[in-house]
Amino acid sequence: MARAPRRIARDLPHHIVHRGNNRRRIVSYASDFWRLLDVIAEAALTFGCQLHAFALMSNHLHLLATPPEEAALPRFVKRFAQRYAVYRNRRRGGTGKLWEQRYRCFLLDDDEALAVATGYIDLNPVRAGMLRDPFDYRWSSARLHLGQSAP
């Protein structure tokens, strides 16, 4: 059965979810989180994608990004996913897939959907039972949305 094509639209935000293969860890140490943030930022700049929200979890990530053109979004994800997988495999002496085969992508075509997705992303660590206050989680955009610096 053929996969349904992704709905991607230029200049509209998209909620991206990318999981570790078999839901395994994609990050283990603070240096891994920093590296993942760096490759995401570099890919966003390279392909002109605006990054609005993020939550980096141990076995998956959530991003809210707006591409300037349809082709930019898959290129953005491919770029950061490949670069981070190479880094992770080299660091751990591993081989093989880090990510599940396909990332999920949800087009957000109105302000309500954008607000809900932003809250969902920022509250992801709380829903996972990692902490009670989303502003205590270092690897999400929750604090930035209130104009506060990262802890």
Side-chain angles (χ1 to χ4, degrees), residues 76-142:
F76 159 65
V77 175
K78 179 180 179 181
R79 173 73 150 253
F80 81 72
Q82 279 185 333
R83 289 195 171 190
Y84 183 73
V86 167
Y87 159 82
R88 176 86 171 163
N89 279 339
R90 284 185 183 157
R91 178 176 169 90
R92 298 179 57 85
T95 60
K97 287 175 51 162
L98 175 63
W99 306 100
E100 280 184 346
Q101 187 170 357
R102 283 175 54 98
Y103 62 93
R104 291 182 294 160
C105 177
F106 307 95
L107 175 62
L108 307 172
D109 53 6
D110 62 47
D111 289 342
E112 183 181 352
L114 177 60
V116 168
T118 302
Y120 179 87
I121 291 169
D122 284 345
L123 291 172
N124 203 257
V126 174
R127 275 191 311 285
M130 299 168 63
L131 41 79
R132 290 183 185 202
D133 188 340
F135 306 111
D136 291 337
Y137 191 66
R138 186 177 195 175
W139 311 111
S140 82
S141 54

Side-chain angles (χ1 to χ4, degrees), residues 8 10 12 16 21 27 33 35 41 44 49 60 74 76 91-92 98 103 115 129-130 137 140 150:
I8 299 174
R10 66 186 294 268
L12 286 175
I16 299 159
N21 192 32
V27 289
F33 282 99
R35 179 58 162 220
C49 292
H60 70 285
F76 159 65
R91 178 176 169 90
R92 298 179 57 85
L98 175 63
Y103 62 93
M130 299 168 63
Y137 191 66
S140 82

